Amino acid sequence: DDVSFAYEDGTNAIRTMSFEMNPNEKVALVGHSGAGKSTIVNLILKFYQPQSGEIYINDQSYSELSHQDVREHISLVFQENELFSSTIYNNVAYGVEKPNEKLVIEALKKANAWEFVKKLPKGLKSEVGERGVKLSGGQKQRIQIARAIMKDAPILILDEATSSLDSRSESLVQQGLENLMNNRLVIIIAHRFSTIQNVDRVFVINDGRIVDADNPKALSKKDGIYSELLKYQVEGNKKLLANYDLY
Ligand code: ADP
């Protein structure tokens, strides 16, 4: 509600912004780099306090809640998040009150991760992180997805991968994500238009403001930042296909 935020160095990142997101809604934040998308997420996670305005979860004001209270309701799947230096079991069970092996395996299955985990010599007890087994980017993401499935929080924040996984890995991650995205509010920092096509609403962010908010189809027909970004990506794909004489 009328949130403004500037970083310590004085950079105004969010300028009097108001919006509401609904349970089970899928919302994509789209905009050029530096527009304010990560700052919105940081504010929702209560990493920072707004200089003015207020954020609410249900009808509770953030100023009355601790960072911990807020975080309980939110799962994160971020590309750059590393796993803890511990076992796969602990990485998936993290933050859950009464985990057990059956639930962890179930979550790994839904995340499309059980196939590779069960083949590791120590299975669920395999250590990951610096001294543990080497996992690929896609495998690490699927462990994160399993953790989020296990936590089952009503809000999921997803920072979509910018650096690309190989296509098979990409599609395994995508399937895992689809299982995770059901029945919760999902906020996506979106980089790929293939994902954005399936969301309910897109917030177009520019210079700390929401400059448009609509469904993806309606936005693609309007002149503006969204259709401009869409055009770049379509052109990029055409060039790629042309290289293989597919377009
Ligand atoms: P996006 O996620 O859309 O790329 P950000 O939310 O990261 O945009 O950035 C919004 C604005 O805030 C930009 O001007 C950026 O340079 C600035 N910014 C982001 N993080 C910091 C920080 N830690 N300290 C100072 N300025 C920051």
Side-chain angles (χ1 to χ4, degrees):
D1 184 11
D2 280 345
V3 168
S4 296
F5 176 75
Y7 284 98
E8 263 174 28
D9 65 359
T11 308
N12 280 315
I14 300 297
R15 301 168 193 266
T16 347
M17 185 179 282
S18 295
F19 61 78
E20 206 166 322
M21 291 172 175
N22 305 308
N24 297 336
E25 199 181 14
K26 316 291 169 239
V27 181
L29 307 179
V30 173
H32 294 290
S33 163
K37 303 180 293 293
S38 314
T39 307
I40 294 173
V41 165
N42 287 335
L43 288 165
I44 293 175
L45 288 167
K46 209 170 192 280
F47 284 143
Y48 300 105
Q49 311 268 50
Q51 265 86 24
S52 62
E54 184 54 293
I55 303 174
Y56 302 87
I57 187 163
N58 289 334
D59 285 325
Q60 258 193 311
S61 139
Y62 266 35
S63 45
E64 293 159 12
L65 297 168
S66 68
H67 175 65
Q68 182 82 14
D69 295 331
V70 169
R71 276 307 309 272
E72 263 173 28
H73 297 92
I74 306 176
S75 299
L76 298 179
V77 176
F78 276 23
Q79 191 189 16
E80 68 275 20
N81 269 11
E82 277 299 316
L83 301 172
F84 316 113
S85 293
S86 181
T87 60
I88 290 190
Y89 180 92
N90 285 339
N91 266 281
V92 176
Y94 176 78
V96 176
E97 250 179 59
K98 285 185 185 154
N100 64 48
E101 200 167 300
K102 190 166 163 259
L103 291 175
V104 167
I105 292 174
E106 228 168 77
L108 285 164
K109 279 184 182 162
K110 285 190 192 142
N112 250 340
W114 180 236
E115 280 302 307
F116 78 82
V117 171
K118 77 175 180 198
K119 286 184 195 140
L120 298 171
K122 289 189 180 165
L124 286 177
K125 296 203 180 83
S126 311
E127 294 277 334
V128 295
E130 270 170 33
R131 281 192 229 145
V133 290
K134 262 243 158 284
L135 298 178
S136 72
Q139 288 173 331
K140 283 190 224 165
Q141 274 181 344
R142 282 179 276 154
I143 301 283
Q144 279 192 58
I145 292 170
R147 177 191 300 160
I149 288 175
M150 185 82 185
K151 183 169 171 185
D152 199 25
I155 303 172
L156 167 69
I157 302 180
L158 188 66
D159 189 353
E160 200 178 50
T162 38
S163 72
S164 50
L165 302 168
D166 66 82
S167 310
R168 189 181 124 74
S169 196
E170 178 79 53
S171 120
L172 289 170
V173 168
Q174 203 53 44
Q175 284 167 23
L177 279 178
E178 276 163 27
N179 289 333
L180 171 61
M181 282 166 69
N182 284 330
N183 304 320
R184 61 192 98 236
L185 165 62
V186 185
I187 305 167
I188 311 170
I189 300 185
H191 302 284
R192 261 188 246 107
F193 279 75
S194 49
T195 322
I196 300 172
Q197 297 321 304
N198 304 320
V199 303
D200 301 306
R201 276 196 297 168
V202 177
F203 290 180
V204 183
I205 315 294
N206 193 41
D207 195 18
R209 293 188 178 87
I210 297 181
V211 292
D212 211 341
D214 213 331
N215 67 62
K217 204 162 217 165
L219 278 176
S220 66
K221 291 183 184 138
K222 291 185 206 169
D223 275 342
I225 293 170
Y226 184 84
S227 53
E228 192 187 314
L229 289 168
L230 181 61
K231 210 167 77 192
Y232 283 135
Q233 209 152 93
V234 172
E235 289 302 320
N237 286 344
K238 274 190 200 165
K239 267 191 200 148
L240 180 70
L241 292 172
N243 282 341
Y244 297 100
D245 297 324
L246 292 170
Y247 187 81

